[in-house]
Structures are given as structure tokens and as C-alpha cells.
Coordinates of all heavy atoms in Angstrom, one line a residue:
V4 N -44.5 -1.5 21.4 CA -44.2 -2.8 20.7 C -43.2 -3.6 21.5 O -43.4 -4.8 21.7 CB -43.8 -2.5 19.2 CG1 -43.3 -3.8 18.6 CG2 -44.9 -1.9 18.4
G5 N -42.1 -2.9 21.9 CA -41.1 -3.6 22.6 C -41.6 -4.2 23.9 O -41.3 -5.3 24.3
Q6 N -42.4 -3.4 24.6 CA -43.0 -3.9 25.9 C -43.9 -5.1 25.7 O -43.9 -6.1 26.5 CB -43.7 -2.8 26.7 CG -42.7 -1.8 27.2 CD -43.3 -0.9 28.3 OE1 -44.2 -1.3 29.0 NE2 -42.8 0.3 28.4
A7 N -44.7 -5.1 24.6 CA -45.6 -6.2 24.2 C -44.8 -7.4 23.9 O -45.1 -8.6 24.3 CB -46.4 -5.8 23.1
V8 N -43.6 -7.3 23.3 CA -42.7 -8.4 22.9 C -42.2 -9.0 24.2 O -42.1 -10.2 24.4 CB -41.6 -7.9 22.0 CG1 -40.5 -9.0 22.0 CG2 -42.1 -7.7 20.6
I9 N -41.8 -8.2 25.2 CA -41.2 -8.7 26.4 C -42.3 -9.4 27.2 O -42.0 -10.5 27.8 CB -40.6 -7.5 27.2 CG1 -39.4 -6.9 26.5 CG2 -40.2 -8.0 28.6 CD1 -38.9 -5.6 27.1
R10 N -43.5 -8.9 27.3 CA -44.5 -9.5 28.0 C -44.8 -10.9 27.4 O -45.1 -11.9 28.1 CB -45.8 -8.7 28.0 CG -45.8 -7.5 28.8 CD -47.2 -6.9 29.0 NE -47.1 -5.6 29.7 CZ -47.0 -4.4 29.1 NH1 -47.0 -4.4 27.8 NH2 -47.0 -3.3 29.8
R11 N -44.8 -11.0 26.0 CA -45.0 -12.2 25.4 C -44.0 -13.3 25.7 O -44.3 -14.4 26.0 CB -45.1 -12.0 23.8 CG -45.4 -13.3 23.0 CD -46.8 -13.8 23.4 NE -47.2 -14.9 22.6 CZ -47.8 -14.9 21.5 NH1 -48.2 -13.8 20.9 NH2 -48.1 -16.0 20.9
M12 N -42.7 -12.8 25.7 CA -41.6 -13.8 26.1 C -41.8 -14.2 27.6 O -41.6 -15.4 27.9 CB -40.3 -13.1 25.9 CG -39.8 -13.0 24.5 SD -38.1 -12.5 24.4 CE -38.1 -10.8 24.9
M13 N -42.1 -13.3 28.4 CA -42.3 -13.6 29.9 C -43.6 -14.4 30.2 O -43.7 -15.0 31.2 CB -42.2 -12.3 30.7 CG -40.8 -11.6 30.7 SD -39.5 -12.7 31.2 CE -40.0 -13.0 32.9
G14 N -44.5 -14.4 29.2 CA -45.7 -15.1 29.4 C -45.6 -16.6 29.0 O -46.5 -17.4 29.2
A15 N -44.4 -17.0 28.5 CA -44.2 -18.4 28.1 C -44.0 -19.2 29.4 O -43.8 -18.7 30.5 CB -42.9 -18.4 27.3
P16 N -44.2 -20.5 29.3 CA -43.9 -21.4 30.4 C -42.6 -21.2 31.0 O -41.6 -20.7 30.3 CB -44.0 -22.8 29.8 CG -44.9 -22.6 28.6 CD -44.6 -21.3 28.1
E17 N -42.4 -21.5 32.3 CA -41.2 -21.2 33.0 C -40.0 -21.9 32.3 O -38.9 -21.3 32.3 CB -41.3 -21.7 34.5 CG -42.3 -21.0 35.3 CD -41.9 -19.5 35.5 OE1 -40.7 -19.2 35.6 OE2 -42.8 -18.7 35.6
S18 N -40.2 -23.0 31.7 CA -39.1 -23.7 31.1 C -38.7 -23.1 29.8 O -37.7 -23.6 29.2 CB -39.6 -25.2 30.9 OG -40.7 -25.2 30.0
E19 N -39.4 -22.1 29.3 CA -39.0 -21.5 28.0 C -38.6 -20.0 28.1 O -38.3 -19.4 27.1 CB -40.3 -21.6 27.1 CG -40.7 -23.0 26.8 CD -42.0 -23.0 25.9 OE1 -42.3 -22.0 25.4 OE2 -42.6 -24.1 25.8
K20 N -38.5 -19.5 29.3 CA -38.1 -18.1 29.5 C -36.6 -17.8 29.3 O -35.8 -18.6 29.6 CB -38.6 -17.6 30.8 CG -40.1 -17.4 31.0 CD -40.4 -16.8 32.4 CE -41.9 -16.6 32.5 NZ -42.6 -17.8 32.4
P21 N -36.3 -16.6 28.7 CA -34.9 -16.2 28.6 C -34.3 -15.9 30.0 O -35.1 -15.6 30.9 CB -34.9 -15.0 27.7 CG -36.3 -14.4 27.9 CD -37.2 -15.6 28.1
A22 N -33.0 -16.1 30.1 CA -32.4 -15.8 31.4 C -32.1 -14.3 31.6 O -31.9 -13.8 32.7 CB -31.1 -16.6 31.6
Y23 N -31.9 -13.6 30.5 CA -31.4 -12.2 30.5 C -32.1 -11.4 29.4 O -32.0 -11.9 28.2 CB -29.9 -12.3 30.3 CG -29.1 -11.1 30.7 CD1 -28.7 -10.8 32.0 CD2 -28.8 -10.2 29.7 CE1 -27.9 -9.7 32.3 CE2 -28.0 -9.0 30.0 CZ -27.6 -8.8 31.3 OH -26.9 -7.7 31.6
I24 N -32.6 -10.3 29.7 CA -33.2 -9.4 28.7 C -32.6 -8.0 28.9 O -32.7 -7.4 29.9 CB -34.8 -9.3 28.8 CG1 -35.4 -10.7 28.5 CG2 -35.3 -8.3 27.8 CD1 -36.9 -10.7 28.7
V25 N -32.0 -7.5 27.8 CA -31.5 -6.1 27.8 C -32.5 -5.3 27.1 O -32.9 -5.6 25.9 CB -30.1 -6.0 27.0 CG1 -29.7 -4.6 26.9 CG2 -29.1 -6.9 27.8
I26 N -32.9 -4.2 27.7 CA -34.0 -3.3 27.2 C -33.3 -2.0 26.8 O -32.7 -1.3 27.7 CB -35.1 -3.1 28.2 CG1 -35.7 -4.4 28.6 CG2 -36.1 -2.1 27.7 CD1 -36.8 -4.2 29.7
T27 N -33.4 -1.6 25.6 CA -32.8 -0.3 25.1 C -33.9 0.7 24.8 O -35.0 0.4 24.5 CB -32.0 -0.5 23.9 OG1 -32.8 -0.5 22.7 CG2 -31.2 -1.8 23.9
S28 N -33.5 2.0 25.0 CA -34.2 3.1 24.5 C -33.3 4.3 24.3 O -32.1 4.2 24.7 CB -35.3 3.6 25.6 OG -36.1 4.6 25.1
I29 N -33.7 5.3 23.6 CA -32.8 6.4 23.3 C -32.5 7.2 24.5 O -31.4 7.8 24.7 CB -33.4 7.3 22.2 CG1 -32.3 8.3 21.6 CG2 -34.6 8.1 22.7 CD1 -32.7 8.9 20.3
K30 N -33.4 7.2 25.5 CA -33.1 8.0 26.8 C -32.8 7.0 27.9 O -33.4 6.0 28.1 CB -34.3 8.8 27.1 CG -34.6 9.9 26.1 CD -35.9 10.7 26.6 CE -36.2 11.8 25.6 NZ -37.4 12.6 26.0
Q31 N -31.9 7.4 28.8 CA -31.5 6.6 29.9 C -32.7 6.4 30.8 O -32.9 5.3 31.3 CB -30.4 7.3 30.7 CG -29.9 6.6 32.0 CD -28.8 7.2 32.7 OE1 -28.2 8.2 32.2 NE2 -28.5 6.7 33.9
S32 N -33.5 7.5 31.1 CA -34.6 7.4 32.0 C -35.6 6.4 31.5 O -36.3 5.7 32.3 CB -35.3 8.8 32.1 OG -35.7 9.3 30.9
E33 N -35.8 6.3 30.2 CA -36.8 5.4 29.6 C -36.3 3.9 29.8 O -37.1 3.1 30.1 CB -37.0 5.7 28.1 CG -37.7 7.0 27.8 CD -37.8 7.4 26.4 OE1 -37.1 6.7 25.6 OE2 -38.5 8.3 26.0
A34 N -35.1 3.7 29.4 CA -34.5 2.3 29.6 C -34.6 1.9 31.0 O -35.0 0.7 31.3 CB -33.1 2.3 29.0
E35 N -34.2 2.7 31.9 CA -34.2 2.4 33.3 C -35.6 2.2 33.9 O -35.8 1.3 34.7 CB -33.4 3.4 34.1 CG -31.9 3.4 33.8 CD -31.1 4.4 34.6 OE1 -31.7 5.4 35.1 OE2 -29.9 4.2 34.8
S36 N -36.5 3.0 33.4 CA -37.9 2.9 33.8 C -38.5 1.6 33.4 O -39.2 0.9 34.2 CB -38.7 4.1 33.2 OG -40.1 3.9 33.5
A37 N -38.2 1.2 32.1 CA -38.7 -0.1 31.6 C -38.1 -1.3 32.4 O -38.9 -2.2 32.8 CB -38.4 -0.3 30.2
V38 N -36.8 -1.2 32.7 CA -36.2 -2.3 33.5 C -36.8 -2.4 34.9 O -37.1 -3.5 35.4 CB -34.7 -2.1 33.6 CG1 -34.1 -2.9 34.7 CG2 -34.0 -2.4 32.2
S39 N -37.0 -1.2 35.5 CA -37.6 -1.2 36.9 C -39.0 -1.8 36.8 O -39.4 -2.6 37.7 CB -37.7 0.2 37.4 OG -38.3 0.3 38.6
Y40 N -39.8 -1.5 35.8 CA -41.2 -1.9 35.7 C -41.2 -3.5 35.5 O -42.0 -4.2 36.2 CB -41.8 -1.3 34.5 CG -43.2 -1.9 34.1 CD1 -44.3 -1.6 34.8 CD2 -43.2 -2.7 33.0 CE1 -45.5 -2.2 34.5 CE2 -44.5 -3.3 32.6 CZ -45.6 -3.0 33.3 OH -46.8 -3.6 33.0
F41 N -40.4 -4.0 34.7 CA -40.4 -5.4 34.4 C -39.8 -6.2 35.6 O -40.2 -7.4 35.8 CB -39.7 -5.8 33.1 CG -40.5 -5.5 31.9 CD1 -40.2 -4.5 31.0 CD2 -41.7 -6.2 31.7 CE1 -41.0 -4.2 29.9 CE2 -42.5 -5.9 30.6 CZ -42.1 -4.9 29.7
K42 N -38.8 -5.6 36.3 CA -38.2 -6.3 37.4 C -39.3 -6.5 38.5 O -39.4 -7.6 39.2 CB -37.1 -5.5 38.0 CG -35.8 -5.7 37.3 CD -34.6 -5.0 38.0 CE -33.3 -5.3 37.4 NZ -32.2 -4.6 38.0
K43 N -40.2 -5.5 38.7 CA -41.2 -5.6 39.7 C -42.3 -6.5 39.2 O -42.9 -7.3 39.9 CB -41.8 -4.2 40.0 CG -40.9 -3.3 40.7 CD -41.5 -1.9 40.9 CE -40.6 -1.0 41.6 NZ -41.1 0.4 41.7
L44 N -42.7 -6.4 37.9 CA -43.7 -7.2 37.3 C -43.4 -8.7 37.4 O -44.3 -9.6 37.6 CB -44.0 -6.8 35.9 CG -45.2 -7.4 35.2 CD1 -46.5 -7.1 35.9 CD2 -45.3 -6.9 33.7
Y45 N -42.1 -9.1 37.1 CA -41.8 -10.5 37.0 C -40.7 -10.8 38.1 O -39.8 -11.7 37.8 CB -41.2 -10.7 35.6 CG -42.3 -10.5 34.5 CD1 -42.1 -9.5 33.6 CD2 -43.4 -11.3 34.4 CE1 -43.1 -9.3 32.6 CE2 -44.3 -11.1 33.4 CZ -44.2 -10.1 32.5 OH -45.1 -9.9 31.6
A46 N -40.9 -10.3 39.2 CA -39.9 -10.6 40.3 C -40.0 -12.1 40.7 O -41.1 -12.7 40.7 CB -40.3 -9.8 41.6
G47 N -38.9 -12.7 40.8 CA -38.8 -14.1 41.2 C -39.0 -15.1 40.1 O -39.1 -16.3 40.3
R48 N -39.1 -14.5 38.8 CA -39.3 -15.4 37.7 C -38.0 -16.0 37.1 O -38.0 -16.7 36.1 CB -40.1 -14.7 36.6 CG -41.4 -14.2 37.0 CD -42.4 -15.3 37.1 NE -43.8 -14.9 37.4 CZ -44.7 -14.6 36.4 NH1 -44.3 -14.7 35.2 NH2 -45.9 -14.2 36.7
G49 N -36.9 -15.5 37.6 CA -35.6 -16.1 37.1 C -35.0 -15.4 35.9 O -34.0 -15.8 35.3
T50 N -35.6 -14.3 35.4 CA -35.1 -13.5 34.3 C -34.5 -12.2 34.8 O -35.2 -11.5 35.5 CB -36.2 -13.2 33.2 OG1 -36.7 -14.5 32.8 CG2 -35.6 -12.4 32.1

């Protein structure tokens, strides 16, 4: 659900995207994995 929400936010027009998204999870490996995934997926998008 969390990843779907992030994709929805990042799918908005460039003029509507957030500048900063903090992703939480109970495990460090999970939170860091999600951040790594979205950084690669949305590289150069300004978030």
C-alpha cells in the first residue's frame, strides 16, 4: 500500500510532486531497500 501511494504521488505532473519523501518500515533493510528502489525509479525527478 505504501509503495502504491508513493507511485501515485510520483505519477503526478512535475509541478505537483513533493520535494522530499521519508519512507518508514519496521526494519532498517526494508526502509533502505524502498528508498534505493525509488531513487533509481525516479532518478532526476527532483524528489
Side-chain angles (χ1 to χ4, degrees):
V4 174
Q6 292 197 27
V8 166
I9 294 169
R10 289 193 187 94
R11 184 62 180 267
M12 285 192 290
M13 293 303 297
E17 293 296 327
S18 60
E19 298 176 13
K20 288 184 176 62
Y23 194 88
I24 297 177
V25 176
I26 301 175
T27 83
S28 187
I29 194 166
K30 295 180 181 179
Q31 179 178 354
S32 60
E33 293 175 345
E35 291 180 339
S36 172
V38 165
S39 177
Y40 170 76
F41 283 114
K42 279 185 175 180
K43 291 178 182 177
L44 186 62
Y45 298 113
R48 298 288 187 89
T50 300

